[in-house]
Structures are given as structure tokens and as C-alpha cells.
Amino acid sequence: MLHPFDPGYVAEPFLTLCSDYPDATVYPADQFRVEWGPIFHRGRLDGSARVLVIGQDPAQHETVIRRILVGEAGRRVQGLLAKLGITESYVCINTYLYSVYGSVKAATARKPELVGYRNRWFEALFESRNIEVVFALGQAADAAWQAFRATPQGQAVQVSYAAVTHPTQPESSAAGDKTKLADATKKLLRNWNAGLQAVHPGLTHPDTPTPPVLYGDTWAVGDRVPIPERDYPAGLPAWMRENDGWATRSGPDALAKRRNITIKVTRGVVT
Ligand code: URA
């Protein structure tokens, strides 16, 4: 059985972007988990992407895998792309290279070095001129897009754009309350339906032409879509690719949690 994989950062300008990136002098260690390193992207870097997704920041599964949006948020995004008929031709970057610790100060988010480096990624991705649709997940991602749009290179880009609710906003806002979660999920899915309808006419090269089939009020079977094996680095075991929940930040206090990511092979894999 063949296992397709993502060869990584093999060509310019990505070689340079991944060897010369902002460190803790730009991303302060009291606001970002810089100790775990930057995590750059997921998806196509060969110019074939038709849709660009802007996420927020990597969490623990992304930290282990070194690709972004590989957990629950990623599966939801994969489902959003599938509703547009996009199964291969996408690329994702995050607003922030490093995992957010606590919250990000407005002055940090606006730092020219932080914004400028991210804009270099946008410029690199738009070099092909093939991207037709951009989704921003959440407010920070929307601000990242607006900052790029304010540059001469950003002004030259012509795409259909939708700023949508972040995929795990319902869980974050509900804080364990089931009624709040159902309510927030319904709102998110309505918001995503509006986003899909807004960008659908602008996508002229889907992988599989698909009439827009919208979301209902709750997640339905098929709304969460597996992340393709070819998005992952070579040799990643199936249990890491097919589920999340195998990496946790654990420890008796905030500092211990920050220092630790525990990986546990999914139940049933080793018997
Ligand atoms: N993981 C990411 O890489 N980005 C997000 O926005 C959420 C989860």
C-alpha cells in the first residue's frame, strides 16, 4: 500500500520562509509557546491551491505533527472545503506561527515584523495567481487578511473572501455547557452557510463541481472530513492521522503544562 505524504518545504520562496522566521523577539514568550517552535502550514505549496484558509494558531496536535489544522478544527475545515468541491486544491496558514499562550496583546498582533513575515507567506501563496477563494477563521485571521489587503501586493489580489466563525468557537464559548454549545454550533453553521454562499460563485475551478449543500443546525454525518494522508509528513502512523485526542498538555500547574505534551497511542492500536 502506498502512503502519499507532504515532502515539506522543498522550493523557494518557502525554503527561505522556513529557514528565516521570527523568534521570541517578535513573538513574546509570555503570549506564545515559542519553546515548541513555529508551525507553518498544511496543504499545497506547488501553486495548485484554489482556496486559502487562514486559521488562528497551532495547538498540541499541530505541534507534534508540524502541520496546522490537523485536529478537530482541521476536520471541520476539511468538511467546509468539501462542500465547495475542494478535496485537494487548498492551502492553510495560521495567523500566528506559534501556539497562543493566554491571549495576544493588540500591540503584539500589530508588530511590523510579525505582520510583515506573514505577508511574505501571503505573497508567496498568491504568486501562482490560482487562488480564487479565501476563508478567514475567526477575528484574528480576518485582521491578518485585512493587514495583507492594506499592502500593494494585497490590493492586487482578486478573490472571493469570507470571514467566518472559528471552527472551535462553539466549544470555547460554551465552556462545557451543553445548551450553550448547541446554540453556538447552530450559529456557527448558519455563519458557515452564509460564507459558503458568498464564495461559491467565485470558485471556478473546484476539484469536483458540487452544488452547495448547506449545513443544518447541528453537525451531521459527513460534515467532518478526514484530512488526506498527503497533507502529513512522511511516515506518520495512521492513528495520529485519523484521530486527535492523543496529545495532551498535562501537569499540576500552568508551567508544567506548558513544558509537557504527552502522547498516548490511541486505544486499540497496541493490544
Ligand atoms: N489548529 C490550527 O492550526 N489553527 C487553528 O486555528 C485551530 C487549530
Side-chain angles (χ1 to χ4, degrees):
M1 186 182 173
L2 287 179
H3 293 281
F5 64 91
D6 174 11
Y9 310 100
V10 293
E12 291 295 0
F14 303 103
L15 276 172
T16 299
L17 282 167
C18 294
S19 47
D20 181 19
Y21 52 81
D23 58 16
T25 58
V26 175
Y27 278 88
D30 63 344
Q31 295 160 58
F32 295 95
R33 295 179 173 94
V34 280
E35 63 278 8
W36 292 98
I39 302 147
F40 298 104
H41 101 295
R42 176 163 71 82
R44 314 286 86 75
L45 295 179
D46 59 1
S48 64
R50 296 290 181 180
V51 179
L52 164 64
V53 178
I54 313 166
Q56 186 179 288
D57 70 303
Q60 66 269 34
H61 295 89
E62 285 81 11
T63 301
V64 175
I65 290 177
R66 315 311 292 184
R67 292 294 181 275
I68 71 160
L69 286 163
V70 292
E72 178 62 21
R75 271 169 259 279
R76 292 179 184 179
V77 166
Q78 214 64 37
L80 181 69
L81 294 171
K83 286 198 182 280
L84 284 175
I86 290 287
T87 53
E88 301 276 334
S89 308
Y90 55 84
V91 64
C92 314
I93 61 168
N94 274 331
T95 304
Y96 301 121
L97 283 179
Y98 300 90
S99 179
V100 172
Y101 183 69
S103 57
V104 182
K105 293 189 176 131
T108 304
R110 283 198 300 264
K111 274 190 180 181
E113 301 95 320
L114 190 157
V115 175
Y117 175 82
R118 190 177 55 221
N119 284 346
R120 284 169 56 205
W121 268 88
F122 282 127
E123 284 164 30
L125 296 173
F126 281 105
E127 241 175 45
S128 75
R129 301 181 190 279
N130 283 337
I131 294 174
E132 297 174 337
V133 165
V134 178
F135 281 118
L137 311 177
Q139 288 171 4
D142 183 36
W145 176 248
Q146 301 310 335
F148 175 57
R149 286 297 260 175
T151 66
Q153 291 85 348
Q155 278 160 24
V157 162
Q158 287 185 355
V159 289
S160 296
Y161 175 69
V164 295
T165 306
H166 190 277
T168 53
Q169 185 275 342
E171 282 75 7
S172 319
S173 65
D177 180 320
K178 282 193 178 149
T179 313
K180 280 190 189 160
L181 179 62
D183 224 42
T185 300
K186 188 168 158 182
K187 278 196 189 125
L188 172 129
L189 295 173
R190 288 192 178 169
N191 171 274
W192 281 22
N193 282 341
L196 280 171
Q197 286 169 309
V199 301
H200 190 268
L203 183 70
T204 52
H205 295 85
D207 296 315
T208 315
T210 316
V213 180
L214 299 179
Y215 291 97
D217 287 345
T218 56
W219 296 111
V221 176
D223 285 348
R224 296 166 67 262
V225 169
I227 293 158
E229 192 170 1
R230 72 176 285 206
D231 285 12
Y232 291 104
L236 210 73
W239 60 266
M240 277 195 176
R241 289 187 271 105
E242 289 166 5
N243 303 288
D244 58 3
W246 45 260
T248 45
R249 295 191 200 277
S250 49
D253 55 40
L255 190 59
K257 275 190 189 158
R258 188 169 168 164
R259 287 178 173 146
N260 177 271
I261 294 178
T262 299
I263 303 174
K264 205 166 172 187
V265 176
T266 310
R267 198 181 288 244
V269 174
V270 183
T271 51

